[in-house]
Amino acid sequence: MKRALITGITGQDGAYLAKFLLNKGYKVYGLMARRSTSTTWRLEFLGIENEVDLIEGDVTDLSSLIRALKISEANEVYNLAAQSFVGTSWDQPILTAEVTGVGVVNLLEAIRLTDPSAKFYQASTSEMFGLIQDEKQSESTPFYPRSPYGVAKLYGHWITINYRESFNIHASCGILFNHESPLRGIEFVTRKVTDAVARIKLGLQEELHLGNIDAKRDWGFAGDYVEAMWLMLQQENADDYVIATGETTTVRDMCKIAFEYVDLKYEEYVVIDPKFYRPAEVEVLLGNPAKAQEKLSWKATTSLKQLIQMMVEADLKRVKKEIATKG
Ligand code: NAP
Ligand code: G4F
């Protein structure tokens, strides 16, 4: 039986990846950071909270990573842990550097010290392209990060490549473009919108305050994207891949899709609030997933419309439940 260790298992991707690997017959371990309240709601949503083994640890604590690797004896290690919200990275740049950047070398060192034959996946990001240097970003597009988060991720990206080249570790980076789902954190724009749409439709909210709605993103479904992570670790040689849909849409048009699904007009509810503008913006992202398609036979299968509808449906269900519970 193959054994996997997932850092960030309580996050959106961690939960979907855990479910995907369980379905493939893996024994799944997850590194879980200690928090004062429970963080397992996503694992519960997918019905797998009792099927994964959770090990307490933190990517900033090397000893806990060594312990987690020894307990799990993982053949595959997926590093999904991060301070992943771009907005917060300007308020907590040092924490972001320590968790999202240095956390990566901690885990690589732990692998080097325990079992260098373990395969490693690093969650790199399209945010590294930032101020884009090519209209369609591919593996050869130069990076130009625009946030402390993007800068920290760039360190994680290059240190992963460096450990592959220095120590022959099977270490791959997935340069994933934005991917969303009903399990997306509420602070990210898609989920903020779909949650607001549900609340407005059910009479609990009147307005939705947003920042730069002219920004464009290449949005896919997280459930599709975790398969690409796994595929990378099944290749004979480690490599880096862009994972994207190849289509880009403005935040404005994404809002339109969400509001129209419940027969509302976004223009009547969205209020532009400079509070949500960023000190430096990534105006547009558009990925070229040709290499993943050719080498991994991977392709995004969920359209933005299907994705947003799935998210609105899930939020309508949640809000209705909330109303019923409150009486
Ligand atoms: P997410 O929902 O924010 O999950 C992040 C996970 O990291 C959570 O489980 C969190 O634990 C954990 N974590 C945070 N700090 C930690 C620490 N110090 N030690 C151990 N664990 C820690 O993020 P996601 O959307 O699933 O993304 C997964 C990864 O892919 C992240 O690295 C993200 O930066 C990257 N990425 C995401 C996207 C995207 O569009 N979703 C695109 C490209 C790359 P708690 O639950 O305790 O907070
Ligand atoms: O949903 P977002 O916060 O995602 P962002 O910044 O693109 O980052 C996400 O994707 C990255 C991959 O490219 C990941 F690496 C990262 O971890 C994260 O998952 O914002 C998307 C866009 C931005 O341009 C933002 O300025 O939406 C714009 N936006 C406009 N109003 C807003 C809002 N974003 C948020 N979060 N909240 C708003 O009110």
Side-chain angles (χ1 to χ4, degrees), residues 59-109:
V59 292
T60 61
D61 183 326
L62 177 63
S63 59
S64 73
L65 300 178
I66 294 173
R67 195 171 308 118
L69 286 166
K70 282 190 172 160
I71 292 169
S72 63
E73 295 177 8
N75 322 101
E76 295 177 12
V77 179
Y78 295 86
N79 183 34
L80 308 186
Q83 188 305 92
S84 76
F85 187 50
V86 172
T88 291
S89 76
W90 279 281
D91 297 327
Q92 300 182 41
I94 298 166
L95 176 128
T96 303
E98 283 169 355
V99 175
T100 306
V102 178
V104 185
V105 76
N106 282 338
L107 191 50
L108 286 164
E109 272 298 286

Short mmCIF file of all heavy atoms in Angstrom, two decimals, residues 59-109:
data_model
loop_
_atom_site.label_atom_id
_atom_site.label_comp_id
_atom_site.label_asym_id
_atom_site.label_seq_id
_atom_site.Cartn_x
_atom_site.Cartn_y
_atom_site.Cartn_z
N VAL A 59 4.90 23.44 9.64
CA VAL A 59 6.01 23.49 8.67
C VAL A 59 7.15 24.41 9.12
O VAL A 59 8.24 24.37 8.55
CB VAL A 59 5.57 23.85 7.23
CG1 VAL A 59 4.73 22.73 6.62
CG2 VAL A 59 4.86 25.18 7.17
N THR A 60 6.93 25.22 10.14
CA THR A 60 8.02 26.05 10.66
C THR A 60 8.82 25.31 11.74
O THR A 60 9.78 25.86 12.27
CB THR A 60 7.49 27.39 11.23
OG1 THR A 60 6.60 27.10 12.31
CG2 THR A 60 6.77 28.19 10.18
N ASP A 61 8.42 24.09 12.07
CA ASP A 61 9.07 23.33 13.13
C ASP A 61 9.68 22.05 12.52
O ASP A 61 8.96 21.06 12.32
CB ASP A 61 8.04 23.00 14.22
CG ASP A 61 8.63 22.25 15.40
OD1 ASP A 61 9.56 21.44 15.20
OD2 ASP A 61 8.17 22.47 16.52
N LEU A 62 10.96 22.12 12.22
CA LEU A 62 11.63 21.00 11.53
C LEU A 62 11.46 19.67 12.26
O LEU A 62 11.23 18.64 11.65
CB LEU A 62 13.13 21.32 11.36
CG LEU A 62 13.99 20.24 10.72
CD1 LEU A 62 13.56 19.95 9.29
CD2 LEU A 62 15.47 20.63 10.74
N SER A 63 11.57 19.71 13.60
CA SER A 63 11.49 18.45 14.35
C SER A 63 10.13 17.80 14.16
O SER A 63 10.02 16.57 14.06
CB SER A 63 11.79 18.67 15.83
OG SER A 63 10.87 19.58 16.38
N SER A 64 9.08 18.60 14.08
CA SER A 64 7.74 18.00 13.90
C SER A 64 7.62 17.38 12.50
O SER A 64 6.91 16.39 12.32
CB SER A 64 6.64 19.03 14.13
OG SER A 64 6.56 19.97 13.07
N LEU A 65 8.33 17.93 11.53
CA LEU A 65 8.29 17.38 10.17
C LEU A 65 9.05 16.05 10.11
O LEU A 65 8.60 15.09 9.47
CB LEU A 65 8.87 18.38 9.17
CG LEU A 65 8.14 19.72 9.10
CD1 LEU A 65 8.83 20.67 8.12
CD2 LEU A 65 6.67 19.52 8.69
N ILE A 66 10.17 16.00 10.79
CA ILE A 66 10.94 14.74 10.84
C ILE A 66 10.08 13.66 11.50
O ILE A 66 9.98 12.53 11.01
CB ILE A 66 12.27 14.95 11.59
CG1 ILE A 66 13.17 15.89 10.77
CG2 ILE A 66 12.97 13.62 11.87
CD1 ILE A 66 14.44 16.32 11.47
N ARG A 67 9.43 14.05 12.60
CA ARG A 67 8.56 13.09 13.31
C ARG A 67 7.43 12.62 12.38
O ARG A 67 7.16 11.42 12.30
CB ARG A 67 7.98 13.76 14.56
CG ARG A 67 7.37 12.77 15.55
CD ARG A 67 7.01 13.44 16.88
NE ARG A 67 8.13 14.18 17.45
CZ ARG A 67 8.16 15.50 17.67
NH1 ARG A 67 7.11 16.23 17.38
NH2 ARG A 67 9.21 16.08 18.19
N ALA A 68 6.81 13.53 11.68
CA ALA A 68 5.69 13.17 10.79
C ALA A 68 6.16 12.21 9.68
O ALA A 68 5.47 11.26 9.32
CB ALA A 68 5.08 14.42 10.18
N LEU A 69 7.36 12.46 9.16
CA LEU A 69 7.87 11.57 8.10
C LEU A 69 8.22 10.20 8.65
O LEU A 69 8.01 9.18 7.99
CB LEU A 69 9.10 12.21 7.44
CG LEU A 69 8.78 13.38 6.50
CD1 LEU A 69 10.04 14.17 6.15
CD2 LEU A 69 8.11 12.87 5.21
N LYS A 70 8.73 10.17 9.88
CA LYS A 70 9.07 8.87 10.49
C LYS A 70 7.80 8.08 10.79
O LYS A 70 7.74 6.88 10.55
CB LYS A 70 9.88 9.09 11.78
CG LYS A 70 11.34 9.43 11.48
CD LYS A 70 12.18 9.39 12.72
CE LYS A 70 13.66 9.54 12.37
NZ LYS A 70 14.46 9.98 13.51
N ILE A 71 6.79 8.75 11.31
CA ILE A 71 5.53 8.05 11.64
C ILE A 71 4.86 7.55 10.36
O ILE A 71 4.42 6.42 10.27
CB ILE A 71 4.56 9.00 12.41
CG1 ILE A 71 5.12 9.33 13.79
CG2 ILE A 71 3.16 8.37 12.54
CD1 ILE A 71 4.38 10.44 14.53
N SER A 72 4.81 8.40 9.35
CA SER A 72 4.04 8.05 8.15
C SER A 72 4.81 7.12 7.20
O SER A 72 4.19 6.39 6.44
CB SER A 72 3.63 9.31 7.38
OG SER A 72 4.79 10.01 6.94
N GLU A 73 6.11 7.16 7.25
CA GLU A 73 6.95 6.42 6.27
C GLU A 73 6.41 6.66 4.86
O GLU A 73 6.22 5.73 4.07
CB GLU A 73 6.97 4.93 6.60
CG GLU A 73 7.65 4.62 7.92
CD GLU A 73 7.61 3.13 8.27
OE1 GLU A 73 7.20 2.31 7.42
OE2 GLU A 73 8.00 2.79 9.40
N ALA A 74 6.15 7.95 4.56
CA ALA A 74 5.49 8.29 3.30
C ALA A 74 6.39 8.04 2.10
O ALA A 74 7.58 8.36 2.12
CB ALA A 74 5.07 9.75 3.33
N ASN A 75 5.77 7.51 1.02
CA ASN A 75 6.48 7.41 -0.27
C ASN A 75 6.27 8.68 -1.06
O ASN A 75 7.03 9.02 -1.95
CB ASN A 75 5.94 6.28 -1.16
CG ASN A 75 5.55 5.05 -0.39
OD1 ASN A 75 4.38 4.82 -0.13
ND2 ASN A 75 6.55 4.30 -0.02
N GLU A 76 5.16 9.36 -0.78
CA GLU A 76 4.84 10.61 -1.49
C GLU A 76 4.49 11.68 -0.47
O GLU A 76 3.68 11.45 0.43
CB GLU A 76 3.65 10.39 -2.44
CG GLU A 76 3.98 9.41 -3.55
CD GLU A 76 2.80 9.11 -4.49
OE1 GLU A 76 1.78 9.82 -4.42
OE2 GLU A 76 2.92 8.15 -5.27
N VAL A 77 5.11 12.85 -0.63
CA VAL A 77 4.87 13.96 0.29
C VAL A 77 4.34 15.14 -0.52
O VAL A 77 4.99 15.58 -1.48
CB VAL A 77 6.19 14.38 1.00
CG1 VAL A 77 5.94 15.55 1.94
CG2 VAL A 77 6.78 13.19 1.77
N TYR A 78 3.17 15.62 -0.16
CA TYR A 78 2.55 16.75 -0.86
C TYR A 78 2.59 17.96 0.06
O TYR A 78 1.95 17.95 1.12
CB TYR A 78 1.09 16.40 -1.20
CG TYR A 78 0.97 15.27 -2.18
CD1 TYR A 78 0.96 13.93 -1.75
CD2 TYR A 78 0.85 15.50 -3.55
CE1 TYR A 78 0.84 12.87 -2.66
CE2 TYR A 78 0.72 14.46 -4.46
CZ TYR A 78 0.72 13.15 -4.01
OH TYR A 78 0.61 12.11 -4.90
N ASN A 79 3.34 18.98 -0.33
CA ASN A 79 3.44 20.16 0.53
C ASN A 79 2.44 21.24 0.11
O ASN A 79 2.71 22.08 -0.75
CB ASN A 79 4.86 20.75 0.50
CG ASN A 79 4.95 21.92 1.47
OD1 ASN A 79 4.30 21.91 2.53
ND2 ASN A 79 5.72 22.92 1.13
N LEU A 80 1.29 21.21 0.75
CA LEU A 80 0.23 22.17 0.44
C LEU A 80 0.08 23.23 1.53
O LEU A 80 -0.69 24.18 1.39
CB LEU A 80 -1.12 21.43 0.29
CG LEU A 80 -1.13 20.23 -0.67
CD1 LEU A 80 -2.55 19.69 -0.83
CD2 LEU A 80 -0.58 20.61 -2.04
N ALA A 81 0.79 23.08 2.62
CA ALA A 81 0.66 24.04 3.72
C ALA A 81 1.19 25.40 3.30
O ALA A 81 2.23 25.51 2.65
CB ALA A 81 1.44 23.55 4.94
N ALA A 82 0.46 26.44 3.65
CA ALA A 82 0.91 27.81 3.35
C ALA A 82 0.02 28.81 4.05
O ALA A 82 -1.14 28.50 4.39
CB ALA A 82 0.85 28.07 1.84
N GLN A 83 0.56 30.01 4.28
CA GLN A 83 -0.30 31.18 4.49
C GLN A 83 -0.65 31.56 3.06
O GLN A 83 0.17 32.15 2.36
CB GLN A 83 0.49 32.27 5.24
CG GLN A 83 -0.35 33.46 5.70
CD GLN A 83 -1.14 34.15 4.60
OE1 GLN A 83 -2.31 33.81 4.35
NE2 GLN A 83 -0.54 35.11 3.93
N SER A 84 -1.85 31.22 2.62
CA SER A 84 -2.14 31.22 1.19
C SER A 84 -2.97 32.42 0.72
O SER A 84 -3.26 32.53 -0.46
CB SER A 84 -2.87 29.93 0.80
OG SER A 84 -4.22 30.00 1.22
N PHE A 85 -3.34 33.30 1.64
CA PHE A 85 -4.17 34.45 1.23
C PHE A 85 -3.28 35.64 0.90
O PHE A 85 -2.57 36.18 1.77
CB PHE A 85 -5.18 34.79 2.32
CG PHE A 85 -6.16 35.86 1.88
CD1 PHE A 85 -6.84 35.75 0.67
CD2 PHE A 85 -6.40 36.96 2.67
CE1 PHE A 85 -7.72 36.74 0.24
CE2 PHE A 85 -7.29 37.95 2.26
CZ PHE A 85 -7.96 37.84 1.05
N VAL A 86 -3.32 36.05 -0.36
CA VAL A 86 -2.45 37.12 -0.86
C VAL A 86 -2.63 38.40 -0.05
O VAL A 86 -1.66 39.04 0.37
CB VAL A 86 -2.73 37.36 -2.37
CG1 VAL A 86 -1.98 38.59 -2.87
CG2 VAL A 86 -2.35 36.12 -3.19
N GLY A 87 -3.87 38.78 0.22
CA GLY A 87 -4.15 40.01 0.97
C GLY A 87 -3.44 40.05 2.32
O GLY A 87 -2.82 41.06 2.69
N THR A 88 -3.51 38.96 3.04
CA THR A 88 -2.88 38.88 4.37
C THR A 88 -1.36 39.00 4.29
O THR A 88 -0.69 39.40 5.24
CB THR A 88 -3.29 37.55 5.05
OG1 THR A 88 -4.68 37.63 5.35
CG2 THR A 88 -2.53 37.29 6.33
N SER A 89 -0.79 38.65 3.14
CA SER A 89 0.67 38.61 3.07
C SER A 89 1.30 40.00 3.19
O SER A 89 2.48 40.11 3.53
CB SER A 89 1.15 37.88 1.80
OG SER A 89 1.00 38.65 0.64
N TRP A 90 0.52 41.08 2.95
CA TRP A 90 1.08 42.42 3.19
C TRP A 90 1.01 42.77 4.68
O TRP A 90 1.78 43.59 5.15
CB TRP A 90 0.33 43.48 2.38
CG TRP A 90 0.79 43.55 0.96
CD1 TRP A 90 1.91 44.16 0.48
CD2 TRP A 90 0.13 43.01 -0.19
NE1 TRP A 90 1.99 44.03 -0.88
CE2 TRP A 90 0.91 43.34 -1.32
CE3 TRP A 90 -1.06 42.29 -0.38
CZ2 TRP A 90 0.54 42.96 -2.61
CZ3 TRP A 90 -1.41 41.92 -1.65
CH2 TRP A 90 -0.62 42.25 -2.76
N ASP A 91 0.05 42.19 5.40
CA ASP A 91 -0.08 42.48 6.84
C ASP A 91 0.84 41.60 7.66
O ASP A 91 1.25 41.96 8.76
CB ASP A 91 -1.53 42.25 7.29
CG ASP A 91 -2.48 43.20 6.58
OD1 ASP A 91 -2.06 44.34 6.29
OD2 ASP A 91 -3.63 42.79 6.29
N GLN A 92 1.14 40.39 7.16
CA GLN A 92 2.01 39.45 7.89
C GLN A 92 3.07 38.90 6.94
O GLN A 92 3.13 37.70 6.67
CB GLN A 92 1.16 38.32 8.48
CG GLN A 92 0.10 38.81 9.45
CD GLN A 92 -0.70 37.67 10.07
OE1 GLN A 92 -0.16 36.63 10.42
NE2 GLN A 92 -1.99 37.85 10.19
N PRO A 93 3.94 39.79 6.44
CA PRO A 93 4.92 39.35 5.43
C PRO A 93 5.96 38.39 6.00
O PRO A 93 6.43 37.50 5.28
CB PRO A 93 5.57 40.67 4.98
CG PRO A 93 5.32 41.64 6.09
CD PRO A 93 4.02 41.24 6.71
N ILE A 94 6.32 38.56 7.25
CA ILE A 94 7.38 37.71 7.82
C ILE A 94 6.84 36.31 8.10
O ILE A 94 7.47 35.31 7.76
CB ILE A 94 7.99 38.38 9.06
CG1 ILE A 94 8.63 39.71 8.63
CG2 ILE A 94 9.02 37.48 9.74
CD1 ILE A 94 8.98 40.66 9.75
N LEU A 95 5.62 36.26 8.66
CA LEU A 95 5.00 34.95 8.87
C LEU A 95 4.83 34.25 7.53
O LEU A 95 5.10 33.05 7.38
CB LEU A 95 3.64 35.09 9.57
CG LEU A 95 2.90 33.76 9.71
CD1 LEU A 95 2.46 33.53 11.15
CD2 LEU A 95 1.71 33.66 8.78
N THR A 96 4.40 35.01 6.52
CA THR A 96 4.21 34.42 5.19
C THR A 96 5.53 33.86 4.66
O THR A 96 5.57 32.75 4.10
CB THR A 96 3.62 35.48 4.22
OG1 THR A 96 2.39 35.97 4.78
CG2 THR A 96 3.35 34.89 2.85
N ALA A 97 6.61 34.60 4.86
CA ALA A 97 7.92 34.12 4.39
C ALA A 97 8.31 32.84 5.14
O ALA A 97 8.81 31.88 4.53
CB ALA A 97 8.98 35.20 4.61
N GLU A 98 8.04 32.83 6.45
CA GLU A 98 8.47 31.67 7.25
C GLU A 98 7.66 30.42 6.92
O GLU A 98 8.22 29.32 6.81
CB GLU A 98 8.38 32.01 8.74
CG GLU A 98 9.56 32.88 9.16
CD GLU A 98 9.43 33.50 10.55
OE1 GLU A 98 8.37 33.35 11.19
OE2 GLU A 98 10.40 34.16 10.98
N VAL A 99 6.33 30.59 6.76
CA VAL A 99 5.47 29.42 6.51
C VAL A 99 5.53 29.02 5.03
O VAL A 99 5.80 27.86 4.69
CB VAL A 99 4.01 29.73 6.92
CG1 VAL A 99 3.10 28.56 6.55
CG2 VAL A 99 3.92 30.03 8.41
N THR A 100 5.28 29.99 4.16
CA THR A 100 5.09 29.70 2.73
C THR A 100 6.43 29.53 2.01
O THR A 100 6.51 28.82 1.01
CB THR A 100 4.27 30.87 2.11
OG1 THR A 100 3.07 31.01 2.89
CG2 THR A 100 3.91 30.63 0.67
N GLY A 101 7.48 30.17 2.53
CA GLY A 101 8.80 30.07 1.91
C GLY A 101 9.70 29.09 2.65
O GLY A 101 9.98 27.98 2.16
N VAL A 102 10.12 29.47 3.85
CA VAL A 102 11.09 28.64 4.60
C VAL A 102 10.50 27.27 4.97
O VAL A 102 11.21 26.27 5.05
CB VAL A 102 11.60 29.40 5.85
CG1 VAL A 102 12.56 28.54 6.67
CG2 VAL A 102 12.29 30.70 5.44
N GLY A 103 9.16 27.22 5.14
CA GLY A 103 8.50 25.94 5.41
C GLY A 103 8.87 24.88 4.38
O GLY A 103 8.98 23.69 4.69
N VAL A 104 9.08 25.31 3.15
CA VAL A 104 9.38 24.36 2.07
C VAL A 104 10.76 23.72 2.27
O VAL A 104 10.92 22.49 2.17
CB VAL A 104 9.31 25.05 0.68
CG1 VAL A 104 9.51 24.03 -0.44
CG2 VAL A 104 8.01 25.81 0.51
N VAL A 105 11.74 24.55 2.61
CA VAL A 105 13.08 23.98 2.80
C VAL A 105 13.11 23.13 4.08
O VAL A 105 13.83 22.12 4.15
CB VAL A 105 14.18 25.07 2.77
CG1 VAL A 105 14.25 25.89 4.03
CG2 VAL A 105 15.55 24.43 2.49
N ASN A 106 12.31 23.48 5.07
CA ASN A 106 12.23 22.63 6.26
C ASN A 106 11.78 21.23 5.87
O ASN A 106 12.36 20.23 6.31
CB ASN A 106 11.21 23.22 7.26
CG ASN A 106 11.78 24.38 8.05
OD1 ASN A 106 12.99 24.53 8.18
ND2 ASN A 106 10.91 25.23 8.58
N LEU A 107 10.76 21.16 5.02
CA LEU A 107 10.22 19.85 4.65
C LEU A 107 11.22 19.10 3.76
O LEU A 107 11.42 17.89 3.91
CB LEU A 107 8.87 20.05 3.94
CG LEU A 107 8.03 18.80 3.71
CD1 LEU A 107 7.86 17.97 4.98
CD2 LEU A 107 6.64 19.20 3.19
N LEU A 108 11.87 19.82 2.86
CA LEU A 108 12.88 19.17 2.01
C LEU A 108 14.04 18.64 2.86
O LEU A 108 14.56 17.54 2.60
CB LEU A 108 13.38 20.15 0.94
CG LEU A 108 12.38 20.43 -0.19
CD1 LEU A 108 12.78 21.69 -0.96
CD2 LEU A 108 12.29 19.23 -1.15
N GLU A 109 14.45 19.42 3.84
CA GLU A 109 15.52 18.96 4.74
C GLU A 109 15.07 17.72 5.51
O GLU A 109 15.84 16.78 5.69
CB GLU A 109 15.90 20.08 5.73
CG GLU A 109 16.95 21.01 5.20
CD GLU A 109 18.28 20.29 4.91
OE1 GLU A 109 19.01 19.94 5.85
OE2 GLU A 109 18.59 20.05 3.73
#
